[in-house]
Amino acid sequence: MALGATFAALRHRNYRIWAGAGFVSVIGTWMQVLGVNWYVLAQTRSATSMGLAVLLQALPTLLLSVWGGALADRLPAKPLLIAAQAVHAALAAGLAVVAVTGVGGLPAIYAIALVTGAVSAIEGPVSGRWSSTLVDRENLGNALALGSLTNSAGRILGMSVGAVVVAAVGPALLFAINAASFVAVVAALFAVRERELYRGEAATDAVVAAGDSAVRERERRAGEPADGGIRAGFRYLLGQPVVLVALALSFVLGSLGRNYQVTMAAMSDGPLHGGASGYGLLSTVFAVGTVLGALVAARRRELGYGMLVGAGLLASVLQIVAGLAPGTLSFAAVILPVAAAAVVIDTTVGARAQLDTDYAMRGRVLAALAVTGSVSAAVGAPLLGWLSEHAGPRQTLVLAGAVTAVTTAAAGVALDGLRGRRLRRRVSLVLGAPAVRRPARRVAATAARVVRPVTPALVPAGPAALPRPMGSLPAGLRLAGLRPGSGRLRSSRAVRAAHECAGCAPPRFRRRPRLAGAARLIGGAPTTHLADCPHSG
């Protein structure tokens, strides 16, 4: 199957099946999210109550993800995933029953949201570890990028179709569609060929690249699952400084640089005066940006830490620019690449978290990544909202962008040091290359001539002497006086001494007879008597 580099992971049959089923499931999931929000808002007319439903679904991630990671590393993934899909389908069907009959009312919606979040918290690390076995190591980054593309496209399609359905017939049909979507995931799990899975690939690129045998030995010991539990996962992460720095950077960028649901609403309702329509436009542009970012990440052959730092700096600078945008359209133009950079950051962190960690610990590392994302959202959203109310939306964007830019630069320096100063060596090689070194020398020589110009050999002085044209000067004088770095004849005094007689030359030049020979080679006479030379006879 001939596919370009952007869709390289689709060469694997197992991944094609899983990606197709995942796309169907993502569409149904976002339909259900829209249906729950609309149902709660219609019943209570309170945005706070709607936010409570979202919080109940996200809260279990903070508490149960580490347990899900431990289960993912200790138990077979396929039975766990089949059971999780069955529970999800039953919960979605329960939402449909509540929406149609009204049995249980709002408390039943809250309870189902809480249980759904708990199942998702355990399923997430299991699904991530399972997905990493569907492709080889070389295409894992591309598979994660295509997963981001699937999520973004499914979100757009699910929200847009869901809005039409909920307006026409209500949220019950959305819940029913989501329940049916999990059937596709279960069918895909049974269709995957077990013999074509990639298991047990240890990923220690960051350690090997550092070239430090002591570090390799320490991380090898840290990667040994002593008891296969949560504590072993924490011990392993403490022995992975590169991954820890990446997670810390992801937390800062996620909390201050990516909670645009808050800042977009504050800007649209405040200085941009866009209102609800403006917020809808910005949300659409942001969703399109996530799709573009997923395509950019998919086209990259390798998602490295340089890509992570570069995307972080780009997003931080553009966030500052967004705070200074005069209108809705200009703000949307800046938001588009910011959303793309956010997806590149998430995809890169996810790829490195799997490629640079041991396979036996991959589930717990993915659980730590999920907790980091949840905590950053839980901390960043209220903080940015508070700053927007007290300092202003524009000031909030500028301040948060400045903080994330400084943090990203510091993380880049730390990552470069932990990985054997790769960036410093590359910069040294680039600066030392002839293509850079020679133009730099020419610029330096030109600057030196401007500051202290080189004067050619003097012509006879006196009332009857006229300035000689440039063409009448000896060839050696022109060459040595105008050409930078021309051997020993660099100063005008040395040039003049080479063309004077032995009696007129200063003593330090008389001891250098090769100067006269050099003058003959470049076209000048070895003895050039001036008008006032006492040895001219």
Side-chain angles (χ1 to χ4, degrees), residues 149-476:
L149 177 61
T150 299
N151 289 331
S152 300
R155 177 179 182 175
I156 295 173
L157 185 59
M159 295 290 278
S160 58
V161 175
V164 176
V165 173
V166 76
V169 298
L173 182 58
L174 297 181
F175 303 145
I177 293 174
N178 186 43
S181 69
F182 293 107
V183 176
V185 181
V186 174
L189 288 169
F190 282 107
V192 166
R193 295 173 181 170
E194 296 274 348
R195 64 180 182 274
E196 296 180 5
L197 297 179
Y198 298 85
R199 292 192 177 99
E201 296 184 14
T204 55
D205 282 354
V207 181
V208 175
D212 189 348
S213 59
V215 176
R216 287 199 299 269
E217 179 63 21
R218 183 176 71 248
E219 296 205 3
R220 185 190 65 80
R221 291 197 301 268
E224 295 174 354
D227 57 3
I230 298 174
R231 289 182 298 175
F234 282 118
R235 285 198 300 269
Y236 177 77
L237 276 177
L238 291 177
Q240 303 286 335
V242 175
V243 178
L244 287 177
V245 173
L247 290 177
L249 178 59
S250 175
F251 170 77
V252 175
L253 292 174
S255 58
L256 298 179
R258 209 172 313 146
N259 277 296
Y260 268 87
Q261 294 84 356
V262 177
T263 51
M264 283 193 308
M267 286 289 290
S268 181
D269 189 53
L272 298 181
H273 305 290
S277 60
Y279 181 66
L281 172 64
L282 295 177
S283 299
T284 303
V285 171
F286 194 87
V288 173
T290 59
V291 175
L292 296 178
L295 289 173
V296 171
R299 289 186 63 85
R300 298 285 301 182
R301 185 175 182 83
E302 181 181 359
L303 295 172
Y305 292 101
M307 186 76 170
L308 172 62
V309 175
L313 289 175
L314 176 63
S316 301
V317 173
L318 291 178
Q319 182 169 338
I320 297 175
V321 176
L324 306 176
T328 301
L329 293 180
S330 57
F331 187 83
V334 180
I335 284 294
L336 185 70
V338 168
V343 173
V344 172
I345 292 169
D346 289 340
T347 306
T348 304
V349 173
R352 300 324 306 178
Q354 298 191 54
L355 291 173
D356 295 340
T357 55
D358 206 14
Y359 179 79
M361 289 288 176
R362 190 167 292 176
R364 276 158 281 193
V365 173
L366 290 174
L369 183 60
V371 171
T372 300
S374 299
V375 173
S376 65
V379 172
L383 177 60
L384 292 177
W386 183 84
L387 287 174
S388 297
E389 290 181 3
H390 291 81
R394 292 188 183 277
Q395 292 80 359
T396 299
L397 284 172
V398 173
L399 176 61
V403 173
T404 55
V406 173
T407 304
T408 304
V413 174
L415 289 171
D416 188 50
L418 291 171
R419 300 173 65 242
R421 303 189 184 279
R422 284 185 177 183
L423 179 60
R424 184 174 299 182
R425 289 201 302 268
R426 289 178 181 176
V427 172
S428 301
L429 290 175
V430 170
L431 294 180
V436 177
R437 189 172 63 248
R438 290 170 183 168
R441 286 180 177 177
R442 294 192 186 101
V443 172
T446 304
R449 289 199 304 273
V450 172
V451 175
R452 186 177 181 183
V454 178
T455 306
L458 298 177
V459 297
L466 295 176
R468 262 193 311 189
M470 193 68 181
S472 62
L473 291 177

Side-chain angles (χ1 to χ4, degrees), residues 75-118:
L75 299 177
K78 189 172 181 178
L80 288 176
L81 289 176
I82 292 175
Q85 306 313 307
V87 175
H88 277 306
L91 292 173
L95 287 175
V97 172
V98 172
V100 172
T101 64
V103 176
L106 202 59
I109 297 293
Y110 286 151
I112 293 175
L114 183 63
V115 177
T116 300

